[in-house]
Amino acid sequence: MAIATVNPATGETLRTYDAHGEEEVERRVAAAHDAFRRYRTTSFAERARLMRRAADLLDEDAEDIARTMTVEMGKPITAARAEAAKCAKAMRWYADHAEELLADEYPAQADVRDSGADTARVLYRPLGPILAVMPWNFPLWQVVRFAAPALMAGNTGLLKHASNVPRTALYLGDLFRRAGFPEGCFQTLLIGSGAVEAVLRDRRIAAATLTGSEPAGRSVAAVAGDEVKKTVLELGGSDPYIVMPSADLPRAVKTAVTARVQNNGQSCIAAKRFIVHTDVYDDFAERFTAAMNALTVGDPLDESTDVGPLATEQGRDDLEELVDDAVREGATVLCGGGRPEDRPHGWYYRPTVLTGITPGMRIHREETFGPVATLYPVSDIREAVAVANDSPFGLSSNVWTRDHADVDLFVRDLEAGGVFVNGMTASHPALPFGGVKRSGYGRELSGHGIREFCNATTVWQRT
């Protein structure tokens, strides 16, 4: 099996790599297991030293790895640079905070006295080698937000990255090696999706994390469940973006555009469904459509480009099918709705705004992974919540209002892993990240994320 780097801006295959065979996979799994037995006993200070060194190297490599990401999956070069910087920031955050996040916990003596213990404590111990199955849309960040906490907790990692970003995948394995992490602590597996099950079933693999599609999550969760192994899943999203009458409309519109087309619209936490109160709907729709229509679609290596190509030809085909289905069922295209005529090569799609969406349309239920927005008018806050929750997904949400009562109701009733008020959903190392419903389970980042792959061990002691 060959794994290839294909430039989505041109469709040109730039380089192919041979997939790792069974013997090489075995060697790497064994190395991860052997490394864990030694690495788990290292101090937080030593792990932090190594992690900070990795962050320094990433800063030095930032321009090169940014161009690699852009060429492999098409994100605008400015966004790729920001992604590299964000990864270095997260590495340093975990280097600074891991020890306190995993500090031993001592319940109040009065609370444990009737257990018969003279003392009791809870400590967090690493689990072992963790298999990470990662997607192409944020090829550096998705990995680092797993790797930084996992390594700081004392685990080792095996990365099965998306097959269309092999250069980024290999860079990540090399980055941690160059930083001085012991051999086997973090390795890349160049394997196809069909080889994941065998690795996950290996008795030496302690747990798994996956960011990706719902079908991929179901597959990994089923195997892990059969093996009784812990998993964390971050799957799809169809995030609502609710605009109420009291909102700062110019800010809401400007942020809405960024929230929809960030990463060329290929983000699980990108706002996708724009739910707008009828009092401001017409004004919002006019401004939003004009701004989406004014975006520059072009070469992602060009500093002036707002929206580059979709990462894969199949991804563009899937997006076209969703839009075409909606139009056949009666949706109205306010702008976009097809491929740009001046981009005959590559997998481009014009920023698109649709209205007249009904529950029977596929686009109402399925995730739009590309620069396509759907507009929904609602008459009051209860209808806004109902439309927002009428989705199989529950990753994050955005609400725009200056009414405190609105905020309280949204925070209480929205079915999502996050509620971002008067701002755009974003991930940050200090805040837990994850979803509910078919958006997955478990949390990444913050203390919640680093403890996902730890054994919370009760130590009961009588003197």
Side-chain angles (χ1 to χ4, degrees):
M1 172 185 174
I3 295 175
T5 290
V6 180
N7 186 342
T10 63
E12 178 188 4
T13 299
L14 302 178
R15 183 171 176 180
T16 59
Y17 300 81
D18 291 333
H20 290 153
E22 290 184 6
E23 289 186 3
E24 181 60 19
V25 171
E26 163 58 28
R27 187 189 72 79
R28 294 186 181 224
V29 171
H33 182 254
D34 291 344
F36 172 68
R37 290 185 294 185
R38 299 185 301 274
Y39 181 68
R40 65 189 297 273
T41 64
T42 57
S43 66
F44 281 107
E46 174 61 9
R47 296 174 201 167
R49 182 187 68 81
L50 296 171
M51 190 61 66
R52 291 190 185 100
R53 177 56 180 154
D56 291 344
L57 288 171
L58 180 53
D59 282 340
E60 294 172 11
D61 299 340
E63 186 63 25
D64 286 343
I65 189 58
R67 292 184 69 86
T68 294
M69 288 189 285
T70 294
V71 168
E72 283 201 309
M73 57 72 55
K75 69 170 69 247
I77 187 65
T78 53
R81 293 187 188 116
E83 182 172 339
K86 183 175 184 177
C87 290
K89 174 182 177 179
M91 289 175 173
R92 294 188 178 100
W93 191 88
Y94 273 107
D96 291 342
H97 295 285
E99 185 170 11
E100 64 184 271
L101 294 173
L102 298 180
D104 292 357
E105 297 174 359
Y106 293 85
Q109 188 62 31
D111 293 336
V112 299
R113 187 175 294 121
D114 63 357
S115 74
D118 292 310
T119 63
R121 60 191 168 118
V122 178
L123 54 89
Y124 293 94
R125 299 185 294 167
L127 293 180
I130 312 298
L131 174 64
V133 182
M134 293 288 117
W136 46 259
N137 56 335
F138 292 94
L140 207 64
W141 170 240
Q142 303 280 15
V143 178
V144 167
R145 77 183 191 192
F146 147 74
L151 289 169
M152 285 304 303
N155 296 297
T156 57
L158 287 162
L159 168 64
K160 188 283 181 219
H161 217 324
S163 294
N164 60 323
V165 289
R167 288 172 58 185
T168 305
L170 291 169
Y171 169 81
L172 283 157
D174 190 53
L175 174 67
F176 290 109
R177 180 194 61 77
R178 290 161 53 210
F181 282 88
E183 189 70 27
C185 272
F186 191 90
Q187 302 168 91
T188 290
L189 299 176
L190 286 184
I191 57 176
S193 57
V196 169
E197 179 174 349
V199 177
L200 183 51
R201 289 192 183 277
D202 191 293
R203 62 178 176 78
R204 294 164 293 187
I205 299 299
T209 180
L210 177 141
T211 298
S213 68
E214 184 184 339
R218 288 178 181 274
S219 176
V220 165
V223 174
D226 190 48
E227 294 291 336
V228 196
K229 293 181 179 181
K230 173 72 179 288
T231 53
V232 170
L233 303 180
E234 193 265 278
L235 307 179
S238 189
D239 289 3
Y241 189 102
I242 302 171
V243 182
M244 298 299 288
S246 64
D248 180 335
L249 204 62
R251 281 182 57 214
V253 170
K254 182 178 180 180
T255 306
V257 174
T258 303
R260 177 65 287 242
V261 302
Q262 61 170 320
N263 207 43
N264 303 337
Q266 300 166 121
S267 171
C268 296
I269 58 169
K272 299 182 176 77
R273 297 176 296 135
F274 295 81
I275 301 164
V276 186
H277 194 284
T278 51
D279 287 356
V280 292
Y281 178 84
D282 289 342
D283 194 1
F284 179 91
E286 181 178 356
R287 295 182 188 216
F288 180 62
T289 301
M292 288 282 282
N293 200 41
L295 293 170
T296 300
V297 178
D299 182 352
L301 288 172
D302 187 329
E303 303 278 347
S304 66
T305 290
D306 297 312
V307 179
L310 298 188
T312 67
E313 187 173 19
Q314 184 62 55
R316 185 181 64 180
D317 291 346
D318 292 343
L319 189 67
E320 283 182 320
E321 288 180 11
L322 282 180
V323 173
D324 291 347
D325 172 79
V327 172
R328 283 194 302 270
E329 296 297 318
T332 299
V333 178
L334 299 184
C335 73
R339 306 176 185 185
E341 296 178 357
D342 60 343
R343 292 283 162 183
H345 304 293
W347 303 314
Y348 292 90
Y349 197 84
R350 294 168 59 199
T352 299
V353 179
L354 301 176
T355 190
I357 306 301
T358 61
M361 297 174 183
R362 288 178 54 201
I363 204 165
H364 180 71
R365 293 286 175 188
E366 298 179 30
E367 181 178 22
T368 51
F369 224 57
V372 174
T374 53
L375 293 180
Y376 296 79
V378 292
S379 60
D380 57 33
I381 191 169
R382 298 290 179 181
E383 187 181 3
V385 170
V387 173
N389 289 341
D390 186 26
S391 170
F393 301 107
L395 192 52
S396 189
S397 60
N398 307 257
V399 298
W400 285 78
T401 179
R402 286 181 278 201
D403 186 320
H404 295 300
D406 284 357
V407 173
D408 291 342
L409 190 145
F410 284 130
V411 169
R412 185 191 71 187
D413 291 348
L414 286 175
E415 298 168 353
V419 181
F420 284 68
V421 181
N422 298 328
M424 186 180 83
T425 295
S427 53
H428 186 282
L431 300 174
F433 180 85
V436 294
K437 300 196 289 189
R438 293 188 180 180
S439 289
Y441 52 75
R443 290 296 180 266
E444 296 178 290
L445 302 175
S446 77
H448 297 273
I450 196 171
R451 288 190 286 268
E452 285 282 7
F453 294 118
C454 288
N455 174 8
T457 307
T458 298
V459 180
W460 182 100
Q461 189 169 349
R462 181 180 290 167
T463 57

